[in-house]
Amino acid sequence: MKKVIALVLVMMFCVSGLALADAKPEIRMGTNANFPPYEYHEYIDDVDKIVGIDAEIADAVAEYLGYTLVIDDMDFGAIITAVQTGKIDFGMAGMTVTEERLESVNFSSTYATGIQAIIVPEGSEIASADDLFVEGKNYIIGVQESTTGDLYCTWDIEDEGLGTVERFKNGADAVQALVTGKVDCVVIDNEPAKAFIAVNEGLTILETAYAVEDYAIAIAKENTELLDKINGALAALTEDGTIPAIIAKYIPAEEAAE
Ligand code: GLN
């Protein structure tokens, strides 16, 4: 009997040892999952999952580097600090590379282009980006807090006394304020803009954009080893077609050309 127990124990150790050897270390990504098609919640078989371009690219990068991806959903404005303090290993949230952010974190190579677009109600007297800078108009502009849309409109319009910026926790709330007439327009990234106008009638995206930008992954300044690894993974996964296929799945080519 003792022999049997000993044998069972030995087998248990072996199995758990194998399981341990098999377990991949975790890598944590911080994002704000309210930014379709880059990251958003979707119920798949009744399970709440974060999906989208960033979520899938991050999963491919993690797999390529031998990690298990864990996604931490947080306010967009909290991501850079979470990277700096090590709460997360990287931030990936349709995040634009800017001079200011580069003072706090490093950015990977760019994996996508973003455009700051302007959403207005159909028939609005705001017909182009230039209309926002007309003295005396004092438009109320809705933005997502801490995004480049917020920063540009604050500097160019609010600080110049040309209008007011209303800041919302996420893009969906800013668009809701537009629907109810609390703001005159919303400045937000083009792809989420398309997703938001698709589910809200009576809104349109202006043809002139506010700005064109590059999206990249934010990594702590001191973690240059991870920066190199992620850049290597991005290059390999672009080369073998994985990343272009993920982007094409969420942004069909004919739509991207619009
Ligand atoms: N691209 C914008 C920025 O980096 C918005 C990103 C977002 O809202 N997730 O500020």
Side-chain angles (χ1 to χ4, degrees):
M1 184 67 179
K2 268 189 191 153
K3 264 192 194 155
V4 173
I5 292 173
L7 191 67
V8 167
L9 281 177
V10 167
M11 278 168 66
M12 278 167 65
F13 272 123
C14 287
V15 169
S16 64
L18 275 177
L20 273 181
D22 222 30
K24 293 185 205 158
E26 287 184 350
I27 189 161
R28 299 191 84 84
M29 154 179 166
T31 197
N32 175 249
N34 219 317
F35 198 69
Y38 289 92
E39 41 266 326
Y40 55 99
H41 289 267
E42 194 167 276
Y43 279 88
I44 300 171
D45 297 332
D46 281 342
V47 180
D48 179 15
K49 275 204 74 179
I50 294 175
V51 298
I53 295 172
D54 288 345
E56 283 202 31
I57 294 179
D59 216 23
V61 166
E63 166 132 14
Y64 182 88
L65 296 175
Y67 293 108
T68 300
L69 181 71
V70 178
I71 302 182
D72 203 344
D73 191 9
M74 55 182 70
D75 285 347
F76 183 78
I79 297 174
I80 297 265
T81 312
V83 168
Q84 286 180 298
T85 56
K87 186 170 181 271
I88 51 175
D89 297 301
F90 64 91
M92 193 171 184
M95 190 179 278
T96 305
V97 180
T98 69
E99 291 298 319
E100 295 71 27
R101 290 175 184 161
L102 275 167
E103 283 171 20
S104 312
V105 290
N106 280 334
F107 277 105
S108 69
S109 9
T110 297
Y111 63 88
T113 303
I115 293 173
Q116 288 302 308
I118 304 167
I119 312 177
V120 292
E122 277 164 9
S124 164
E125 65 168 12
I126 303 171
S128 78
D130 288 345
D131 291 344
L132 298 178
F133 307 108
V134 177
E135 213 156 327
K137 285 291 185 186
N138 290 316
Y139 291 121
I140 305 173
I141 300 152
V143 297
Q144 184 185 349
E145 195 174 51
S146 305
T147 60
T148 46
D150 179 5
L151 300 176
Y152 303 153
C153 293
T154 302
W155 296 329
D156 301 347
I157 299 169
E158 195 164 68
D159 292 355
E160 297 297 322
L162 299 172
T164 315
V165 176
E166 280 278 342
R167 297 167 187 86
F168 297 87
K169 277 270 178 254
N170 60 61
D173 291 346
V175 172
Q176 209 41 49
L178 184 61
V179 170
T180 54
K182 295 197 180 81
V183 299
D184 298 307
C185 67
V186 167
V187 174
I188 193 163
D189 302 50
N190 198 39
E191 291 304 329
K194 286 187 205 162
F196 290 134
I197 70 156
V199 292
N200 288 285
E201 265 180 44
L203 301 180
T204 185
I205 300 172
L206 295 184
E207 271 182 27
T208 49
Y210 199 106
V212 179
E213 0 182 82
D214 290 327
Y215 290 169
I217 300 172
I219 300 153
K221 284 257 186 216
E222 61 276 11
N223 204 349
T224 50
E225 194 189 324
L226 183 62
L227 176 70
D228 291 343
K229 279 186 177 175
I230 287 183
N231 277 339
L234 287 175
L237 295 166
T238 301
E239 175 89 27
D240 75 2
T242 305
I243 291 178
I246 293 171
I247 295 175
K249 175 176 150 193
Y250 287 92
I251 308 175
E254 67 273 19
E255 215 182 277
E258 275 170 25

